[in-house]
Amino acid sequence: MLISTKEMLKKAQEETRAVAAFNTYSLETVQAAISSAEKEEQPVIIALGERYFPTVDVEGFAAMVKAMAHKAAIPVALHLDHAYEKDSIIRAIKNGFTSVMYDGSKYPLKENIKRTKEIVDIAHMEGVSVEAEIGSMAKGAYSDEEEGDGTLTDPLLANEFVKATNIDFLAAAIGTVHGMYQGEPNIDLERLQQIHELVNIPLVLHGGSGTPDEKIVETINHGICKINVNTEISVAAVTFLKSAFDDEFKDDPMPHLSNINRVMQQKMEKAMQRFVRLFSNEKQAVC
Ligand code: 13P
């Protein structure tokens, strides 16, 4: 069933667990995400980034996700990830996305508040919840996201931002990166705790890929309710593709694309299932 992201995250917040938000951009990525969550009996968020709008038919994609959500054994939410343009937000809302992320993090606080507030007013009129960010994420290896400067979120400003904009979820920059880490991850849990003490809405962790499991669990215990994952799933698929012709398909001179897609989906699903289980924080989600 497709449910409101807000409802989904409220429950996660109450149960001290996080919901996986997988970046998806194809039939296989969506199928893998839903199937991994079904196996773990946990809800899941299907996220589509604005950056994929030029290559993904947004109307067709939304219709497909809604149909799959209807059949799914677990609650599914449909989220617009990192949108910089008002038009993209409106397009997502029109197509039944249950939440949107407006990313005004590159603007000074006052401007970010003004732009985010405008999106909140539009989205809330349609019953769609809004995620927004202050601070910004640095970029690690193999990421497909925009480069940020890695400024960590100031807890006092986070509180001011949430109050002034009336957003539903806050993306807090605490040292995770978009993509794989190129050195030791430096996650600022103390900062997260300060934000958690000041801000009551569900907190979002971007840059789930490559983050050590024990750090993930600590972030969940400090208020993180939604964790975004993109790069590590791509790495699982591409690692398979790079060796497929010397390995799984070595005896087949011309394997059919459908078979390659099938195995690739299995690899992604396995990687996703590990995240879903970890994020559940050993809690039974009441689906
Ligand atoms: P990763 O690519 O590091 O998993 O981050 C994804 C993300 O935060 C998308 O918003």
Side-chain angles (χ1 to χ4, degrees), residues 23 81-82 137 143 145 177-179 205-209 228-232:
N23 284 90
D81 193 28
H82 287 285
M137 306 273 304
S143 169
E145 308 288 343
V177 301
H178 277 142
L205 186 73
H206 283 241
S209 295
N228 292 7
V229 180
N230 187 353
T231 309
E232 207 172 314

Side-chain angles (χ1 to χ4, degrees), residues 175-193:
T176 53
V177 301
H178 277 142
M180 306 306 284
Y181 296 87
Q182 279 160 318
E184 274 297 299
N186 190 5
I187 319 289
D188 192 342
L189 289 167
E190 216 170 285
R191 181 180 297 268
L192 177 60
Q193 181 57 29

Side-chain angles (χ1 to χ4, degrees), residues 3-12 77 98-99 124 127-130 166-169 201-202:
I3 73 161
S4 115
T5 316
K6 191 167 179 169
E7 196 184 309
M8 189 184 273
L9 294 188
K10 192 168 166 273
K11 215 168 205 183
T98 55
S99 52
H124 282 184
V128 172
S129 39
V130 178
N166 198 23
I167 55 168
D168 303 283
F169 328 121
I201 59 172

Side-chain angles (χ1 to χ4, degrees), residues 181-247:
Y181 296 87
Q182 279 160 318
E184 274 297 299
N186 190 5
I187 319 289
D188 192 342
L189 289 167
E190 216 170 285
R191 181 180 297 268
L192 177 60
Q193 181 57 29
Q194 286 165 6
I195 298 169
H196 184 40
E197 280 165 14
L198 290 166
V199 172
N200 284 326
I201 59 172
L203 302 175
V204 178
L205 186 73
H206 283 241
S209 295
T211 308
D213 288 6
E214 63 280 9
K215 292 285 175 208
I216 291 277
V217 171
E218 284 184 90
T219 67
I220 296 168
N221 291 333
H222 287 77
I224 293 291
C225 305
K226 166 178 178 276
I227 304 180
N228 292 7
V229 180
N230 187 353
T231 309
E232 207 172 314
I233 308 309
S234 164
V235 167
V238 176
T239 303
F240 154 69
L241 289 173
K242 282 173 77 168
S243 66
F245 302 101
D246 300 323
D247 196 350

